[in-house]
Amino acid sequence: MLRYLALILTIAGLALALWLIGANGWAEVLHAVGVAGVGGLAALVAWQFLVFGLLGFCWWLVTPGVPRRAIASLIWARTVRDASSEVLPFSQVGGIVIGARAAVTAGVPPAPLYAGMIADQTTELAGQLLFTLFGVVVLLTRLEGHGAVLPPVLAGAAAMAGLMAAFAFAQRPMLRIAKGLAGHVLPASLATFDQVQDQLVAVYRRRERVVSAFLLHFIGWIGSGMAGWIALHAMGRPLPLIDVLTIEALIFALRTVAFLVPGGIGVQEAAYALLGPIFGLAAGPALALSIVKRARDVSFGVPVVVLWQLFEARALRRRAVPGGGA
């Protein structure tokens, strides 16, 4: 059922995105995309990898008992997680599971990994909620003549708060879900529920690390939002940084709430077309910005997914051959 739902949502989202582009003029949208060029795309990809480095470090901060050398494995796993969410027909939940699998394959112990994954997702959502509230506050000062935008934005912010509450106050059910999903993808990695629960208790005992992860995730959301600012400069359509961060904060929130839609297809495009004009960015260039960001996602996502599959194949060969080495 979930596969069929994902397929239906993908088709519906793609149809919506194509309709929006057509309604605002293919020529205008594609011209704005072309202005960004290869140089702008390369800058976006490079910036995104810097953000992945920060996010992987956040994951390590709340993963108990793993050495510093595991930071590289968690940065890689976080990169795989986002790449698979963007270029494979999976929801964001599927990307999280694939990221966990990549980390286990890279040698991170399962029990602390699953506990760290729950804590990392909690601190990430907390950071995003703060970023979303920033976007809502700024939006309220710019709504003259655009009052129809407020209900969906407030609904998205309320849903974000609900997700945050779910992760903050329902940790044991989340552990069971994470463990079940991970076991479905990589059965050999399963740890007992008690082991994972003990590790999660150890995570929250180190409050300074949890707070640090929350603050760094907030900075990470700002960094992700700055990608839009970089892209608009490359397109020759610069906007003040605070305006771009506001647009991106609200779009991230809407995409998170619509987590079942693979790649947020259609949701992202509709949000740009809706929010862009409020800040002086016409719908055509706003849709072009969405396309440029998707081109960035494909540019890093496809090579990362291919490389991940090669690593998976090598790991399977090693398990199949007794005593197999490099």
Side-chain angles (χ1 to χ4, degrees):
M1 288 297 294
L2 287 177
R3 287 197 204 97
Y4 289 127
L5 178 61
L7 178 61
I8 292 169
L9 291 174
T10 299
I11 293 172
L14 183 60
L16 175 61
L18 293 174
W19 178 81
L20 285 168
I21 295 170
N24 288 279
W26 282 91
E28 180 184 6
V29 173
L30 294 179
H31 172 73
V33 172
V35 171
V38 176
L41 186 60
L44 279 176
V45 171
W47 181 258
Q48 189 60 43
F49 278 113
L50 289 176
V51 174
F52 285 147
L54 176 61
L55 298 180
F57 180 74
C58 289
W59 194 352
W60 174 79
L61 273 177
V62 292
T63 302
V66 295
R68 284 185 177 272
R69 64 176 179 273
I71 295 176
S73 296
L74 292 173
I75 291 173
W76 164 247
R78 180 58 197 239
T79 305
V80 171
R81 166 184 156 177
D82 282 57
S84 59
S85 294
E86 295 297 340
V87 303
L88 295 178
F90 299 139
S91 68
Q92 293 180 45
V93 175
I96 291 171
V97 174
I98 289 176
R101 174 174 179 135
V104 171
T105 302
V108 182
L113 174 69
Y114 299 153
M117 185 171 66
I118 293 295
D120 181 62
Q121 193 65 31
T122 302
T123 55
E124 183 173 0
L125 280 172
Q128 185 180 6
L129 181 58
L130 182 59
F131 192 42
T132 301
L133 292 176
F134 154 79
V136 170
V137 169
V138 176
L139 179 67
L140 290 174
T141 68
R142 311 290 179 87
L143 273 181
E144 185 175 353
H146 298 278
V149 175
L150 189 58
V153 168
L154 291 180
M160 272 294 310
L163 285 173
M164 178 64 239
F167 272 88
F169 300 110
Q171 299 278 285
R172 289 178 68 87
M174 292 298 170
L175 276 175
R176 288 193 175 93
I177 291 171
K179 181 170 168 284
L181 288 171
H184 179 71
V185 175
L186 191 61
S189 73
L190 280 178
T192 69
F193 179 82
D194 289 338
Q195 285 177 319
V196 181
Q197 176 68 26
D198 290 344
Q199 293 290 342
L200 191 61
V201 170
V203 169
Y204 289 119
R205 280 178 181 158
R206 302 187 298 178
R207 294 182 181 177
E208 71 286 350
R209 287 200 166 209
V210 174
V211 172
S212 296
F214 158 66
L215 295 174
L216 288 175
H217 268 303
F218 177 62
I219 294 171
W221 283 111
I222 294 173
S224 295
M226 287 184 65
W229 184 74
I230 294 170
L232 286 171
H233 271 271
M235 292 164 54
R237 303 270 186 164
L239 286 180
L241 180 59
I242 189 171
D243 290 354
V244 179
L245 290 178
T246 300
I247 294 171
E248 295 293 317
L250 299 174
I251 287 173
F252 290 152
L254 292 172
R255 281 198 53 169
T256 298
V257 171
F259 63 90
L260 289 176
V261 182
I265 186 72
V267 175
Q268 176 173 299
E269 285 70 25
Y272 272 117
L274 188 68
L275 292 168
I278 298 175
F279 297 90
L281 184 66
L287 288 166
L289 172 58
S290 180
I291 293 174
V292 169
K293 290 181 67 177
R294 291 202 182 278
R296 173 207 61 186
D297 296 339
V298 171
S299 296
F300 80 77
V302 171
V304 166
V305 168
V306 170
L307 190 58
W308 166 62
Q309 284 293 289
L310 292 174
F311 287 159
E312 286 287 323
R314 186 175 67 176
L316 287 172
R317 286 197 300 269
R318 285 178 173 175
R319 286 196 290 268
V321 178

